[in-house]
Amino acid sequence: MEDGFNEARALRIAEIMTEFQSLQRRIAEYSPNHSPDEYFEEGYEVLRQCRAEAQAVLVAPYPVELSDASSISGDSEKRHLQSIIVDASARRFQSKKIYLRAVAAVRWSNARNSILQSGKPLQQQAVLLQQANADLHTVGADLPCVPTVTDGVLSKELAAVTDIRIYNEFQQTDSEAGYWLQEDPPLATILDWMRTYPA
């Protein structure tokens, strides 16, 4: 039975997809800029992986059961819109996770370039570059605003890209924006969707 909320559901889909598109555009702006001999440096690999993952999410087809809406009305329309909210939420979630990893890789790249252009002796550069590489993966939680190579910020950024963090950020920002969240899926549903329909 139609409950009168289909317009709200459709608007919610538009809100989620707008942020999804914005995340995709920002990811596309990050391009690995390195010399051929730096191709296999870990931060650049992470950035290339992020771009490939973002592209896969972007081109992944919608589930077949969601794609034919031509003859849907009433309660069927309600279920259809609810399914699209889950699908859109999962795509936005995946894109946010990819985006945060890409940001960490870009910071790593900027730190690396700063070290190499600093004019420090090669031995000192080698130590700082090793630290930058180690920083990419060390576990941590606090994220200061201005990263440096030696304080583990990059590693903390990657380690802090967790499912619960992303979900909570969306809940907070969407709530603050005054969006209708009554049918936004819980984290478990988003993760189940991602396992069922991998990009």
Side-chain angles (χ1 to χ4, degrees), residues 20 36 73 94 103 113 129 184 188 193 195:
F20 166 74
S73 63
Q94 288 175 300
V103 167
N113 291 337
L129 290 172
D184 275 21
W193 182 96
R195 281 188 287 275

Side-chain angles (χ1 to χ4, degrees), residues 20-86:
F20 166 74
Q21 291 169 339
S22 174
L23 287 164
Q24 284 286 327
R25 277 193 302 274
R26 286 187 272 170
I27 294 166
E29 290 172 1
Y30 293 138
S31 161
N33 187 12
H34 54 77
S35 65
D37 56 327
E38 295 176 311
Y39 185 84
F40 293 106
E41 291 291 338
E42 196 163 13
Y44 296 126
E45 287 182 342
V46 169
L47 192 51
R48 282 192 304 278
Q49 181 183 18
C50 288
R51 287 176 58 94
E53 289 172 6
Q55 185 64 26
V57 171
L58 189 61
V59 300
Y62 283 94
V64 173
E65 60 271 18
L66 299 182
S67 59
D68 182 22
S70 58
S71 62
I72 295 178
S73 63
D75 199 43
S76 296
E77 182 180 13
K78 171 185 169 182
R79 286 191 306 275
H80 182 77
L81 290 170
Q82 288 171 328
S83 296
I84 293 173
I85 288 172
V86 173

Side-chain angles (χ1 to χ4, degrees), residues 115-116 121-132:
I115 292 166
L116 292 174
L122 292 178
Q123 181 62 29
Q124 191 175 1
Q125 284 180 343
V127 170
L128 291 173
L129 290 172
Q130 286 175 339
Q131 180 65 44

Side-chain angles (χ1 to χ4, degrees), residues 46-47 49-50 53 96-106 158 161:
V46 169
L47 192 51
Q49 181 183 18
C50 288
E53 289 172 6
K96 179 72 170 195
K97 192 169 189 176
I98 294 165
Y99 171 73
L100 292 173
R101 289 177 46 236
V103 167
V106 167
L158 282 179
V161 179

Side-chain angles (χ1 to χ4, degrees), residues 149-166:
V149 176
T150 57
D151 66 3
V153 171
L154 298 175
S155 60
K156 291 176 185 178
E157 279 191 73
L158 282 179
V161 179
T162 62
D163 294 340
I164 193 68
R165 172 190 168 197
I166 294 166

